[in-house]
């Protein structure tokens, strides 16, 4: 059963929360990073991006809150390679993280999960790195990769059936799209190009009797 606009008697507001355009970039940008604690070292299910438990476990818990890169929510889901600048303690490649939350610290861009922060460190050097609290880092945007996972559509908990629908895309691999939001009478907002494919997919995936908090499988994978 697909998305049926005829079942709506009032204006349907649709907001699709898509991450900002984030091309893979060669140059690293200097910044600072810290970390937050959690009982299992993973992310938080209450992050500002609205991912729920997905935001806790995606990318094996290597996730981050960001400040400037959050961009009023359009930066959610973007992926970055982050490496610290303490060569005696940190590995050269650093760690890949997914943005799942807003966070700021002592002039930091990244507030990493405990697991992500520990993965900056060389073997047996994590405790010494944690003792710094805040470290100088450099980062760059990278394409997200979720091999084996279909693109999922989560109806945001703030949605109100039937007049207001907000959706969040989960396991959105590849380069990121512009934030897209709109209000239309009985349908999804107009999109162009690659986003138009997603629009068609959303229309066929979201049922007419959708529920806030529900997650729907698109049965497609992005690369």
């Amino acid at each position: 059963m697909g998305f049926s606009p005829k079942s709506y008697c009032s204006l349907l507001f649709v907001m699709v929360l898509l991450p900002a355009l984030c091309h893979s970039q060669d140059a690293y940008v200097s910044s600072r990073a810290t970390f937050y604690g959690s009982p299992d070292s993973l992310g938080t299910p209450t992050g500002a991006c609205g991912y729920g438990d997905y935001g806790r476990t995606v990318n094996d818990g290597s996730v981050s809150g960001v400040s400037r890169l959050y961009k009023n929510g359009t930066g959610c889901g973007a992926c970055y390679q982050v490496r610290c600048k303490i060569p005696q303690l940190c590995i050269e490649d650093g760690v890949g993280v997914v943005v799942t939350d807003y966070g700021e610290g002592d002039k930091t861009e990244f507030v990493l999960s405990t697991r992500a922060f520990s993965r900056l460190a060389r073997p047996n050097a994590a405790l010494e790195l944690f003792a710094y609290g805040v470290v100088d880092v450099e980062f760059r945007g990278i394409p997200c990769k979720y091999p084996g996972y279909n693109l999922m559509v989560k109806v945001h908990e703030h949605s109100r059936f039937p007049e207001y629908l907000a959706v969040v895309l989960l396991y959105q691999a590849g380069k990121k799209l512009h934030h897209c939001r709109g209000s239309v009478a009985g349908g999804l907002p107009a999109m162009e190009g690659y986003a138009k494919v997603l629009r068609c997919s959303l229309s066929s995936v979201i049922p007419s009797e959708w529920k806030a908090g529900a997650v729907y499988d698109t049965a497609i994978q992005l690369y």
Side-chain angles (χ1 to χ4, degrees), residues 10-220:
S10 60
L11 187 66
L12 173 67
F13 291 95
V14 181
M15 179 172 65
V16 182
L17 303 178
L18 300 177
L21 186 67
C22 176
H23 293 286
S24 177
Q25 61 190 53
D26 293 328
Y28 279 88
V29 178
S30 295
S31 186
R32 284 156 59 86
T34 185
F35 64 93
Y36 61 90
S38 64
D40 53 13
S41 300
L42 304 179
T44 172
T46 59
C49 292
Y51 289 143
D53 198 60
Y54 168 88
R56 186 180 70 86
T57 60
V58 66
N59 197 35
D60 196 31
S62 288
V63 298
S64 183
V66 293
S67 53
R68 180 181 58 85
L69 296 172
Y70 183 72
K71 301 175 183 177
N72 197 32
T74 65
C76 290
C79 295
Y80 294 93
Q81 192 74 20
V82 182
R83 59 189 189 188
C84 84
K85 299 168 72 173
I86 309 176
Q88 66 273 25
L89 296 180
C90 300
I91 61 174
E92 183 177 351
D93 291 339
V95 62
V97 298
V98 180
V99 174
T100 60
D101 198 1
Y102 175 84
E104 56 182 314
D106 181 14
K107 298 180 181 179
T108 61
E109 180 58 61
F110 293 89
V111 182
L112 301 170
S113 66
T114 304
R115 177 166 293 184
F117 196 86
S118 68
R119 288 175 172 170
L120 293 172
R122 293 183 180 276
N124 303 315
L127 290 180
E128 190 172 352
L129 187 64
F130 278 120
Y132 276 76
V134 178
V135 295
D136 291 329
V137 299
E138 52 188 13
F139 71 92
R140 66 176 181 176
I142 58 174
C144 298
K145 297 180 180 180
Y146 303 111
Y149 285 93
N150 291 341
L151 177 70
M152 309 289 284
V153 180
K154 178 187 176 183
V155 178
H156 199 284
E157 286 82 356
H158 291 167
S159 299
R160 297 185 302 276
F161 183 84
E163 69 272 8
Y164 176 77
L165 172 63
V167 299
V168 180
L169 300 184
L170 311 182
Y171 300 114
Q172 185 194 350
K175 296 177 180 179
K176 298 306 169 186
L177 304 176
H178 283 295
H179 181 83
C180 177
R181 69 174 70 191
S183 60
V184 294
L188 293 171
M191 300 180 183
E192 297 296 332
Y194 177 32
K196 187 178 295 184
V197 177
L198 291 179
R199 179 180 185 271
C200 295
S201 298
L202 295 180
S203 298
S204 63
V205 167
I206 301 175
S208 57
E209 300 293 326
W210 51 267
K211 298 181 183 296
V215 178
Y216 302 102
D217 191 340
T218 68
I220 63 175

